[in-house]
Amino acid sequence: SALNNALSRPVMVTVLQLAGLAIKFPLNALFLYGGMGVPAMGGPGCALASMIISWLWFVAAAAILMRNPAYKPLAIFTQYSPPNRARLWALVRLGVPMGFTYLIEITSFTLMAIFIARLGTVVLAGHQIAANLGAVAY
């Protein structure tokens, strides 16, 4: 998705996410409540549905990157080169602080939801709405 955003091609990511969302609803229902020979799994069933969707996104995105002519000039999969330690270290120096900021942000919202859950469903729903608005604004 970062590559497509950098190339001003966010439509591919949007289409993949919408398709994944359309598939996730029936998969969640199937694994959550059971049916068609699949036992009801509850919460772990939702996790299984999310994992299936993530793998489908990966396979679809890789196929698009390999076959779409818009990505041919980038020569993404044309040759293999061994890892370059200097380049990797530069990426790690940039990526680790960015990763920690995401970790702190996501962890704080998650922990806050756990603390707020004791106050009732209405308060928790308000927190979820605020979190979603923050994500949309971001």
Side-chain angles (χ1 to χ4, degrees), residues 59-73:
V59 169
I64 290 169
L65 285 175
M66 284 187 234
R67 298 177 195 268
N68 192 320
Y71 303 103
K72 293 285 185 203

Side-chain angles (χ1 to χ4, degrees), residues 16 53-66:
L16 284 175
I53 297 301
S54 293
W55 276 105
L56 288 174
W57 276 337
F58 169 73
V59 169
I64 290 169
L65 285 175
M66 284 187 234

Side-chain angles (χ1 to χ4, degrees), residues 43-127:
C46 290
L48 180 61
S50 294
M51 187 222 26
I52 291 170
I53 297 301
S54 293
W55 276 105
L56 288 174
W57 276 337
F58 169 73
V59 169
I64 290 169
L65 285 175
M66 284 187 234
R67 298 177 195 268
N68 192 320
Y71 303 103
K72 293 285 185 203
L74 300 176
I76 296 172
F77 300 108
T78 57
Q79 65 181 8
Y80 171 78
S81 61
N84 182 324
R85 286 185 184 263
R87 287 184 183 172
L88 288 175
W89 181 244
L91 290 173
V92 166
R93 285 193 342 219
L94 284 174
V96 167
M98 290 169 45
F100 277 128
T101 60
Y102 284 125
L103 176 71
I104 291 168
E105 178 184 350
I106 291 169
T107 304
S108 65
F109 270 103
T110 303
L111 288 176
M112 196 54 61
I114 292 170
F115 294 141
I116 291 173
R118 289 185 260 160
L119 300 176
T121 56
V122 173
V123 176
L124 187 59
H127 171 72

Side-chain angles (χ1 to χ4, degrees), residues 23-43:
I23 297 169
K24 189 155 173 44
F25 281 121
L27 279 181
N28 269 349
L30 177 67
F31 294 135
L32 186 65
Y33 302 113
M36 299 180 2
V38 176
M41 293 184 238

